[in-house]
Amino acid sequence: EGLQRGFNMDDEGGGGFSAMHVRRGDLQYKEVIISAEEWYANTAPLWYPNEILYIATDEQNKSFFDPIAKHHNLRFLGDYWDKAGLGDLDPSLMGMVEIVVCSRGRLFVGTWHSTFTAYITRLRGYYGTSKVSNYYSFKPRRLVLHKWEYPGGNYAAREFPIGWLGIDGDEFIDGDIEANSTSPIGPLANKSILMEPPPARPTHLSRGFSGLPMNKTPSLQGASRGKINCDINVDSLAYWNNPQGTRDRDFISPFAPKKTDQSNRYITFEQDCGRWNNLRMSLEIVFEIAAATGRIVVLPPIQNLHLEASENKYSFDKFYSFQTDDFKKRLPVISMKEFIEREGGPKGLLQLGDSEYKTLLDLASFCEHRRKSEIFCGKIYEKIIASPNSMVAPFGTGSSLSCLVFDVTIFKEGIDNISEKVESSVKEFCGYRSPAYYTTQLGLPHVLHFNTFNENRLLSHFYEFIHFTDPVIDNHFKRFVRDFMHYSDSIFCAAGKIVRSIQRESLDRGFVIDEEGGGGYSSLHVRRNDLQYKDVLLTEDRWFENTQEIWNPNEILYISTDETQKKFFDPFALKHDLRFLDDYWELADLETFDVEHRGMIDAIVASRGRAFAGTFYSTFSGYINRMRGYYGMSKFTSFYSWNPVKYEMQKGPFFSNENKFEREYPVGWVGIDGDERITQDFEGDAPKNTNSLNAPTKKTQPDPPRPSKNSNTNEKEKMLGDENPSDGLKNLKLQDHGIKTLEETMISMQGFLPSEDENLEQSQDGSSMYIVFSTDCGKFQHWQSYLLFFSAMRIRQPGFITRIASGCTDAQKSEAIEWHEEHIAVLSKRFRIFFTPRFSDIKDENGKSTGSDYKYFNKPFGVRYYLEHSDDFNYVEKTGNLENEDDFVIIIDPDMLLLRPLTTDFSDGSSVKFWNPFAKAIERKKKVVHGTPFGQTYGFSHTWMKFIKEAGPNSPALKVDERTADLHYQVGPPYIATVRDMHKIAVRWSNLVPSVHRAFPQLLSEMYAYCLAAADLQLPHEVVDSMMISAADAYGEGWDFIDAIPDDDVCTTAVAPAYKKYPLPTVLHYCQTYGVSNVLFSKYKIPENIFTCEKPLLVEPADDAMSGENSFFINEIRKRVDLKPKYHKRHTFATCAMTSAVNEAALFYKMHHCKAPANKERTITLVKL
């Protein structure tokens, strides 16, 4: 049939048709059992038009395949019953027949985790079919067979090519032997398109949102855009100018020696002890100082990049183009070997003896920065420092003088002549740092040495550490770093090939490339290893949840990462095609690059994404953002994965007057071609074009508005977009680097995108949830309220959340309103505060005050007052009617931490456990409706029935037996009911609670009154175990979910609740004490000012909290409590969850509300040793 349709067979007799294996039955891995629509969507580009598809399957209903049959003629085994004589075969052989048939298809797509599919791929290997003819339907593993991989253990999900490649020879095959092939999809698609001319580059030099109109940039007169020496055209990746403008080329630094001084002056420096991006930061500072002071840069001796013993030897000139004519004109750079040859002789600056000269010359060729090493680099530096012609720089990010100021007047006349204007400028730049001024005295030594290895590191961005008081000079040297301190052409060439390859795929999907040659895909930097800031090391689920709204449907995501297990990215791969650096090994000839070069290539590719999400605290992510700034990308396209700082690049600050490195700041790239000091970006607090980037378009050439040569600032503002936000999401131009509508809510504080916030007001069925919790106005419940709101934001809780504050004085009310508006309302317009009178007064039977208080009266009375007086329900007293009575009210406590969203739907059996105290389980209803409230199991059984007489002699509660009471009424918060039912309960609850409390004047009386009110109203509850955990030894709670988490994941799951990976309870009711080892958590010991700028953070459990040696804790009275394995796990989970949540909320507060440096030390311990 295939031949009749014009298809060919290969040399081995295969092909002419293609094949699938669609497993539908008893496969335990449910994630790979997908619909036919998804099967086709994931495989459609593979098939030829009119190609026959043979399908091996256990699906009996052939109509399942109708979505595929619309496009192709399908064949099944049964179609050949007579031709193949299948009736004569043993039925157990049918599957084997199908395996052989599938193995001969031109292409084959199988089911991941199926050994049936796996054996087909091995047969295809025996037949010699290409690796790129095999695919999986499960999107995260679709292309896994295209890469060589050695089996790492007994792994049955797939087969490995070591089983068939080269097995007729006598040599061990440890790599792919197949010549480069192409695939219809993915990174191995045909790359000949890369040789075609790329889209034309703009001729203007103002780049995107970072640039200025030409009439504002005299420094650019005579400049041209840079180019990249490469075998294909990748010039669009050159964000620098080459040549620079005439003024920059002719610039002579006022801080350099006079031309009459013919002696050489040098800067020497030690290699920083950190990783590459720390070295790069140090290098940029040293080179800028050298360029400003007219000194020759002496590179450190050749050594291992990370200072460990290794065969890899690096010199910085492998990464940069120091030896080009243009670079040498601006800044001479020599090796340490050249320096010793020049200055090590008897007449040189170092004046070494013959023996010393030879020793240092050898060390300059290669040394180690280990003091015990025989080739210790320090021997060179000791001689340099000892020379009378040398000075050790008295400043650095770790010294008392931690910012460096260049001022022309001070340089010429001395520090005594500082003007008020300069003093103000320095104070604004340096902040709390003590400045060092570059004076003629610092210019005198022939060698200025930086001890940057450890003691006096330069761990800062150059534009944070160095301040030129003259903005013309300041911007000149910012341009110097941009235009000269970029990676070498070979690095950009390789990156450019990858960028163009991904963009080629994207263009085929209808996405566009922007004017500067970026976009078409989006990118992430996911740091997973050896980062000391554990808060930002997120789980895979949390990475996806925190960023998913950023990405466009069907958009390719490029992921730069040190995570070796690609399975980590499955949540992304289910929605997007993913690309990684090693997908382009052959295309970019990555084997010829060292590992550090590959990291640089990775960063460049990530920098060209339409949108980018990085890892906070990572200088790798930081540098990607700086390159995006150089390219002119909008700040509204850069995000961080950690929610407390998700919008940090968008809402500021524009500059930091501290030596910070956790992110980069736009002051380093915005407006640096001008002559003025820029103090804010050009985009404002929100993009004036409020359209979204949600839908691809078939337009392939972007055409964004650009300023003309004579444009002014007003035209620049027009370039930023339409000021009318009413267009919503429909008229987007994809080349605009924006995101979904951003308004002041999000900009002024990290929280929800306004569109997301609005969407969360209602559930999918159109109903709304009104979540309430009752507090007084004291400081104890004040910090708990902040933590509750923060946890609701963190897990994206739908509905409206209201703090009911009772009994506040006028002063307390005013203070609470101010706090809420400044710190809570900006998180979400759905987060509210509602004030009620004081209800805690205890009265006698005659209604007279006893002078005592029971604060928990505020809950029933406060909820009733809220329902009857808030604008949410418009209660009519005469009729008792409320609006929105079909919506839902959920009552929780202020000391509850949300681990997953509260819901009114309990039909998911994997994450819901009902209370069933008897041997024969009852059938539970699964959704909250009128007449069916829900509540959490509380372990007081039917104790409330002791007070049943308080309901009156005719109460229906008298008809409730103990079994029914245990099954339907032993409930506590979260209480969930429709608005209509909850109002009925609140009215009866508030009527009953005074008399119940008189009969039982103790804690829990208000809970007993709730149970009694529900029984009196004949509103039996569905009782759920899994909504809450509290005491570690409590029954009827969701602890089973915690017990099931693997030991290695207990603390990480608690810190970043990955409820899609492991079922979790909804709330942690932290009314108990928790501890592991020497870390304790008790809400009664938390400082009331924990959410302030000056208060430090809590000590958190160690990484090995689940080890056997930590199966104890020190309690409040300083006694050791040993923990059995089950309770060890539960205490570990609760302690990790609470200490990290408090710290995350505190960090969130500090990062967004503290102007001066905030206290971020983890030093508060609640254990009094």
Side-chain angles (χ1 to χ4, degrees), residues 168-192:
D168 293 316
D170 291 340
E171 297 179 0
F172 176 71
I173 304 298
D174 60 353
D176 203 346
I177 62 174
E178 182 176 344
N180 290 343
S181 302
T182 60
S183 162
I185 60 174
L188 292 181
N190 191 342
K191 298 304 184 300
S192 61

Side-chain angles (χ1 to χ4, degrees), residues 793-805:
M793 180 191 72
R794 188 172 68 164
I795 54 97
R796 282 358 198 193
Q797 174 62 53
F800 299 91
I801 305 176
T802 302
R803 174 187 177 184
I804 301 175

Side-chain angles (χ1 to χ4, degrees), residues 840-1140:
S840 57
D841 188 29
I842 299 175
K843 299 177 181 179
D844 62 20
E845 293 181 358
N846 299 317
K848 293 183 178 181
S849 174
T850 64
S852 299
D853 268 6
Y854 184 63
K855 65 180 181 180
Y856 298 110
F857 281 164
N858 285 329
K859 187 183 294 185
F861 286 102
V863 171
R864 177 179 179 179
Y865 191 90
Y866 161 71
L867 292 171
E868 295 180 353
H869 291 84
S870 80
D871 294 335
D872 290 334
F873 310 104
N874 292 323
Y875 172 71
V876 180
E877 187 173 3
K878 288 185 179 179
T879 62
N881 293 333
L882 301 97
E883 291 182 359
N884 309 325
E885 66 175 12
D886 295 333
D887 288 334
F888 304 97
V889 176
I890 303 177
I891 303 174
I892 59 177
D893 286 340
D895 57 347
M896 286 182 170
L897 182 78
L898 294 174
L899 302 177
R900 60 182 299 149
L902 290 155
T903 182
T904 60
D905 185 345
F906 294 85
S907 56
D908 181 4
S910 65
S911 60
V912 175
K913 293 189 176 182
F914 286 99
W915 168 244
N916 280 302
F918 303 112
K920 186 176 181 180
I922 64 170
E923 183 65 28
R924 293 281 190 183
K925 297 175 182 177
K926 303 299 191 296
K927 294 185 179 181
V928 181
V929 294
H930 291 308
T932 307
F934 278 60
Q936 165 64 38
T937 311
Y938 274 70
F940 46 64
S941 187
H942 49 269
T943 308
W944 63 271
M945 297 182 71
K946 294 180 181 179
F947 316 107
I948 206 165
K949 65 178 183 178
E950 307 299 332
N954 299 317
S955 171
L958 293 167
K959 298 179 181 179
V960 175
D961 58 28
E962 291 184 357
R963 177 184 172 85
T964 302
D966 284 346
L967 283 171
H968 292 290
Y969 292 104
Q970 61 163 321
V971 292
Y975 301 118
I976 310 177
T978 63
V979 171
R980 184 172 71 192
D981 286 349
M982 190 61 81
H983 181 247
K984 291 178 182 178
I985 293 172
V987 171
R988 190 63 177 133
W989 186 15
S990 57
N991 290 337
L992 288 172
V993 71
S995 59
V996 173
H997 184 266
R998 282 193 294 273
F1000 184 72
Q1002 298 179 38
L1003 190 66
L1004 299 184
S1005 59
E1006 83 288 353
M1007 295 185 69
Y1008 295 153
Y1010 179 95
C1011 301
L1012 181 56
D1016 183 68
L1017 293 168
Q1018 301 181 73
L1019 286 172
H1021 285 51
E1022 295 301 345
V1023 186
V1024 181
D1025 287 349
S1026 53
M1027 272 199 285
M1028 183 187 79
I1029 52 174
S1030 59
D1033 58 352
Y1035 69 90
E1037 295 187 357
W1039 285 113
D1040 287 351
F1041 291 153
I1042 310 305
D1043 298 341
I1045 299 173
D1047 286 359
D1048 290 344
D1049 291 348
V1050 171
C1051 200
T1052 55
T1053 303
V1055 169
Y1059 58 87
K1060 293 183 180 179
K1061 182 176 182 180
Y1062 300 116
L1064 291 176
T1066 307
V1067 301
L1068 169 50
H1069 190 187
Y1070 56 93
C1071 54
Q1072 306 293 320
T1073 296
Y1074 312 102
V1076 59
S1077 186
N1078 61 350
V1079 179
L1080 183 76
F1081 181 86
S1082 168
K1083 69 177 184 179
Y1084 302 104
K1085 292 183 173 293
I1086 296 294
E1088 291 179 342
N1089 63 341
I1090 187 67
F1091 299 129
T1092 57
C1093 298
E1094 63 275 3
K1095 203 67 178 176
L1097 306 175
L1098 301 179
V1099 172
E1100 297 183 32
D1103 291 341
D1104 61 347
M1106 277 300 296
S1107 66
E1109 61 189 29
N1110 289 321
S1111 58
F1112 72 94
F1113 71 93
I1114 308 299
N1115 67 12
E1116 298 95 322
I1117 57 175
R1118 294 179 292 180
K1119 289 189 176 180
R1120 176 183 171 118
V1121 178
D1122 290 317
L1123 297 169
K1124 293 181 179 179
K1126 180 168 74 172
Y1127 300 115
H1128 179 203
K1129 180 178 284 190
R1130 294 180 178 186
H1131 273 270
T1132 298
F1133 181 89
T1135 309
C1136 289
M1138 290 312 306
T1139 55
S1140 67

